[in-house]
Amino acid sequence: MAIKIGLEIHCRLNTKSKLFCSCSTNSQEKEPNKETCPICLGLPGYKPLLNKSAVEYLIKMGLAFNCNISEESYFSRKTYFYPDMSKNFQITQYEIPIATNGNIHINDNEIRIKRIHLEEDPARIVYANGSISTTKYVLIDYNRAGAPLAELVTEPDIKSPKEARLLLEKISSVLDYLGIYDPSKEASIRVDANISSDGERVEIKNITGFENVEKALSYEEIRQKGMSRMNKKIERETRHFDETTKMTTAMRKKEYEEDYGYIFDPDLPLINIDKNWVEKIKSSMPELPEKRAQRMATQYSIDQYDANVIVYTGRDFADFFESCIKKLNKPKEISKWMINYLLKSLNWRSERISNSKVTVDRFIEFIELIDNNTITERFGKELIKEFVDSGDSPKGLVGKISTQTKPLNEVINNIIIENPKAFDEFKLGKKEALQFLIGKVLNATGKRSDPKEIVNILNSMLEK
Ligand SMILES: [Zn+2]
């Protein structure tokens, strides 16, 4: 029994101001409810004004995913009663979205995109002392209310939970390249996923995190298969994914789209999308990840796999790589050190290259130290951690680390003096004692020494 998955993906666009007012979208650090005005609070009598850059961002997104761009589009009110939307309707697009009929390829599977439209983000609900099912009351923060969201709706063409995750990663990467969203911000992408095996469609609402989407869908796949094995009917319903238990639970019977009573929003004018405008946007678009990875593999003669890692790590990472090559034409060496060691150190610090202390010039200085054999690769692997931590000149760091390091003989001598019993046992040929001493030396040298060398020195000391 094959499963079918469709996703509704809400991407937070990184325009400077909100979709219908001039409040800033950058309110993460702000006190709750500080970045608000009568428009995004939904007070009566205040009219929304459309932010043109949000429309431009959406057109970019539509073009990147091979969509048709509508010549005309407009906004509607989606009526619902919930504390996160104080005016009791959300301004969204229903009848004519800005972009329609696109596609995204994941390996050999074409996933059709039904539509991409603009809408305002509701406020953020905080469940006090618990989760959605256990909380006694909720708190509401309107800082997020009115931020522009692009909602991308796919046809149910996705064949597995894993493929859903790959799709999200691809979309995230394309948006990053377009520069229209911030992948490092919490909840930049939120997903409603629907899945059906052969009964009714089940929707899982509001999942954050690509890994969670995969987990929620996998759980649901197993649950639905179990139900049909027991000849139980799968109900059309909305479920909630619990991030702690990794399970989904029933929330409510599914409403149908029409239940929302969409009406045309009379406060906002028709959006005219001129062909010249679209052409202008198209010509300003950067090279997108798939093409860039192919070009880089050919141009620099690096493995396609390595080119993919560099490109899909982020636009800033790929830009960094190409800037390095302009200064030092050693693509293989640079890609090796970037992928295997630089990226690891950045990930360990949860940093992106663009907000780290690492600069192109200093990284080149580092590569040259290895390239002209000033330092060994082994030492390079240690050095790069300190380099990413401090951003200091690698040459300077080499000097600093070497003066901190005592000769290995001296370190081992000290350890023998401190652990005479272990040394006696080592003399009698006890393996545990040898392991113990090696461990002590490794700790004392910050794991910078070679165990073989330690054994050699210890053996030479036996002879004394
Ligand atoms: Zn506002």
Side-chain angles (χ1 to χ4, degrees):
M1 178 177 51
I3 57 160
K4 285 178 175 178
I5 297 168
L7 300 180
E8 288 174 21
I9 305 160
H10 300 86
C11 315
R12 173 85 179 264
L13 301 176
N14 67 353
T15 53
K16 286 198 179 72
S17 53
K18 292 185 182 179
L19 187 51
F20 300 117
C21 63
S22 56
C23 292
S24 165
T25 51
N26 193 3
S27 58
Q28 279 202 322
E29 313 279 295
K30 289 220 172 99
E31 231 179 282
N33 296 308
K34 287 290 177 206
E35 199 56 55
T36 54
C37 73
I39 297 173
C40 56
L41 284 172
L43 301 186
Y46 288 88
K47 289 194 178 179
L49 266 172
L50 178 60
N51 178 347
K52 201 181 164 191
S53 357
V55 179
E56 195 171 315
Y57 281 21
L58 202 109
I59 295 173
K60 276 189 186 169
M61 194 172 160
L63 292 171
F65 296 126
N66 313 312
C67 293
N68 298 325
I69 306 299
S70 309
E71 285 175 29
E72 270 180 355
S73 182
Y74 60 89
F75 286 97
S76 292
R77 296 176 172 183
K78 176 180 180 177
T79 312
Y80 72 93
F81 181 82
Y82 207 62
D84 64 5
M85 194 55 87
S86 55
K87 54 187 186 287
N88 290 343
F89 61 81
Q90 179 187 25
I91 307 177
T92 178
Q93 298 192 293
Y94 183 56
E95 293 84 351
I96 311 176
I98 293 175
T100 54
N101 298 326
N103 58 60
I104 302 177
H105 292 263
I106 298 295
N107 303 323
D108 291 334
N109 190 19
E110 177 184 325
I111 295 154
R112 288 167 298 155
I113 297 171
K114 202 174 183 175
R115 54 188 286 149
I116 314 176
H117 68 252
L118 266 181
E119 65 183 29
E120 56 176 341
D121 205 354
R124 190 168 70 96
I125 292 189
V126 181
Y127 300 101
N129 304 320
S131 70
I132 192 166
S133 43
T134 58
T135 188
K136 290 208 172 105
Y137 60 94
V138 300
L139 300 167
I140 303 169
D141 178 6
Y142 283 92
N143 281 351
R144 197 180 79 182
L149 292 181
E151 182 177 335
L152 184 154
V153 183
T154 76
E155 297 287 355
D157 294 338
I158 302 161
K159 289 176 182 156
S160 69
K162 171 93 189 286
E163 197 171 78
R165 181 177 171 173
L166 292 175
L167 177 77
L168 290 167
E169 283 170 359
K170 189 153 190 184
I171 291 172
S172 165
S173 170
V174 170
L175 299 189
D176 174 32
Y177 271 76
L178 291 172
I180 60 174
Y181 109 127
D182 183 350
S184 67
K185 258 190 199 149
E186 181 212 10
S188 281
I189 290 189
R190 300 198 302 274
V191 177
D192 296 341
N194 58 69
I195 170 169
S196 60
S197 14
D198 59 356
E200 283 280 14
R201 214 171 72 132
V202 169
E203 188 175 32
I204 315 160
K205 274 278 188 201
N206 214 0
I207 323 167
T208 357
F210 303 163
E211 208 182 321
N212 282 334
V213 172
E214 186 180 353
K215 283 189 177 138
L217 287 166
S218 301
Y219 176 83
E220 201 45 35
E221 183 183 4
I222 294 165
R223 189 187 69 91
Q224 293 190 9
K225 283 186 176 158
M227 297 265 291
S228 59
R229 225 175 287 126
M230 292 184 286
N231 286 323
K232 281 190 184 163
K233 191 176 177 298
I234 295 157
E235 299 250 16
R236 181 178 178 116
E237 64 183 358
T238 300
R239 298 178 72 86
H240 164 74
F241 175 68
D242 188 319
E243 289 185 13
T244 334
T245 61
K246 311 287 176 211
M247 290 181 353
T248 67
T249 47
M251 268 165 76
R252 56 174 183 262
K253 299 282 165 265
K254 171 71 183 156
E255 308 92 342
Y256 290 78
E257 272 297 294
E258 304 75 53
D259 295 353
Y260 285 116
Y262 287 95
I263 56 160
F264 166 70
D265 192 314
D267 285 341
L268 283 157
L270 200 69
I271 316 164
N272 280 308
I273 303 172
D274 180 35
K275 281 217 162 73
N276 293 330
W277 190 28
V278 177
E279 281 308 314
K280 214 177 131 192
I281 293 172
K282 201 185 249 173
S283 62
S284 77
M285 283 181 25
E287 185 183 30
L288 295 175
E290 213 167 322
K291 282 225 171 100
R292 185 171 190 177
Q294 285 164 4
R295 171 182 61 77
M296 277 177 26
T298 325
Q299 187 177 341
Y300 305 121
S301 313
I302 53 174
D303 284 350
Q304 187 62 58
Y305 178 83
D306 291 349
N308 288 350
V309 173
I310 293 172
V311 163
Y312 286 101
T313 294
R315 184 176 171 181
D316 54 353
F317 201 68
D319 287 348
F320 187 90
F321 174 74
E322 296 209 82
S323 305
C324 285
I325 288 175
K326 278 193 194 120
K327 304 219 164 185
L328 180 73
N329 192 18
K330 302 247 170 183
K332 282 200 176 119
E333 207 157 358
I334 292 170
S335 80
K336 173 184 145 189
W337 281 91
M338 278 184 72
I339 294 172
N340 295 322
Y341 306 107
L342 178 61
L343 189 55
K344 259 187 211 153
S345 295
L346 289 169
N347 286 345
W348 194 75
R349 296 173 58 85
S350 309
E351 278 181 350
R352 290 175 67 94
I353 189 86
S354 50
N355 51 30
S356 76
K357 290 176 182 159
V358 179
T359 63
V360 170
D361 286 336
R362 294 229 150 127
F363 187 67
I364 291 298
E365 189 183 315
F366 170 79
I367 296 288
E368 280 172 337
L369 285 177
I370 294 165
D371 197 44
N372 60 26
N373 294 320
T374 309
I375 58 171
T376 60
E377 283 210 20
R378 191 184 167 81
F379 187 65
K381 288 174 201 168
E382 293 305 321
L383 182 66
I384 200 160
K385 289 178 205 153
E386 317 238 352
F387 168 53
V388 173
D389 279 346
S390 66
D392 290 345
S393 150
K395 276 184 196 156
L397 283 172
V398 170
K400 207 169 136 197
I401 292 173
S402 333
T403 52
Q404 276 172 2
T405 317
K406 284 184 196 158
L408 198 54
N409 282 346
E410 205 176 303
V411 176
I412 294 176
N413 221 358
N414 287 339
I415 282 172
I416 290 172
I417 295 168
E418 284 162 20
N419 303 279
K421 204 177 149 218
F423 189 61
D424 285 342
E425 283 175 4
F426 164 64
K427 279 189 208 157
L428 296 172
K430 287 201 178 161
K431 275 195 178 147
E432 294 83 0
L434 174 63
Q435 289 305 330
F436 173 82
L437 291 170
I438 293 174
K440 285 273 173 194
V441 179
L442 285 176
N443 274 340
T445 54
K447 304 212 164 58
R448 230 174 255 129
S449 43
D450 185 350
K452 268 189 202 153
E453 215 176 314
I454 302 173
V455 175
N456 287 341
I457 294 176
L458 280 169
N459 282 332
S460 70
M461 283 177 170
L462 282 182
E463 289 154 18
K464 278 180 198 167

